[in-house]
């Protein structure tokens, strides 16, 4: 592997690593401190905390292909492409939920906007990663 290709590989790993770290941080925060987030989803009590914990578990599950892509994005390009697709589904799904909410649910809408922004930033970083890996395969 050339120095340029090696540098590109590490740059892609950094981008994927940022998205993965954000997602894992959200997963663990939701799993271990759900009470801090129930109000932002217009939930309360044990049922609300359980729902937030469950969301954290889903975030953790969601990150498996990200971790594989992080390990070696060139070799495990499918995992990188799946991560990009999953991130896109997140942005689109959250946007549909957001636009389906009545305007009076300000707190819930604000929480969803944070998710949309968070996932859109991840989508951009993963799209750059996919583009860089495609460039790598065409340049080699």
């Amino acid at each position: 592997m050339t120095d340029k290709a090696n540098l590109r590989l590490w740059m892609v790993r950094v981008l994927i690593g940022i998205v993965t770290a954000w997602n894992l941080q959200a997963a663990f925060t939701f799993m271990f401190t759900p009470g801090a987030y129930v109000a932002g989803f217009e939930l309360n009590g044990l049922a609300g905390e359980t729902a937030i914990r469950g969301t954290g578990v889903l975030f953790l599950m969601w990150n498996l292909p990200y971790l594989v892509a992080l390990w070696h994005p060139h070799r495990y390009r499918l995992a990188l492409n799946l991560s990009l697709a999953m991130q896109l589904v997140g942005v689109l799904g959250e946007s549909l939920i957001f636009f389906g909410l009545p305007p009076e649910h300000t707190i819930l809408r604000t929480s969803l906007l944070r998710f949309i922004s968070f996932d859109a930033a991840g989508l951009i970083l993963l799209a750059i990663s996919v583009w860089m890996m495609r460039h790598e395969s065409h340049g080699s």
Side-chain angles (χ1 to χ4, degrees), residues 96-105 108-110 112:
L96 286 171
I97 294 168
F98 175 82
F99 288 114
L101 285 175
E104 60 269 13
H105 289 273
L108 188 53
R109 290 172 62 90
T110 301
L112 277 166

Side-chain angles (χ1 to χ4, degrees), residues 52-114:
I52 298 296
R53 278 194 179 100
T55 302
V57 171
L58 291 173
F59 286 173
L60 196 57
M61 290 168 43
W62 183 349
N63 269 275
L64 293 177
Y66 293 65
L67 293 168
V68 173
L70 181 62
W71 177 256
H72 203 296
H74 186 71
R75 184 177 303 145
Y76 301 112
R77 192 175 313 238
L78 176 60
L80 177 55
N81 288 325
L82 288 171
S83 298
L84 177 66
M86 291 167 64
Q87 201 75 23
L88 177 62
V89 167
V91 171
L92 293 176
E94 292 154 2
S95 297
L96 286 171
I97 294 168
F98 175 82
F99 288 114
L101 285 175
E104 60 269 13
H105 289 273
T106 308
I107 294 171
L108 188 53
R109 290 172 62 90
T110 301
S111 292
L112 277 166
L113 279 177
R114 278 194 295 269

Side-chain angles (χ1 to χ4, degrees), residues 7-30:
L7 176 62
R8 185 178 295 120
L9 175 65
W10 279 101
M11 289 171 55
V12 167
R13 281 183 174 142
V14 167
L15 295 175
I16 297 167
I18 290 168
V19 179
T20 304
W22 286 342
N23 287 336
L24 290 175
Q25 183 272 333
F28 292 130
T29 300
F30 276 25

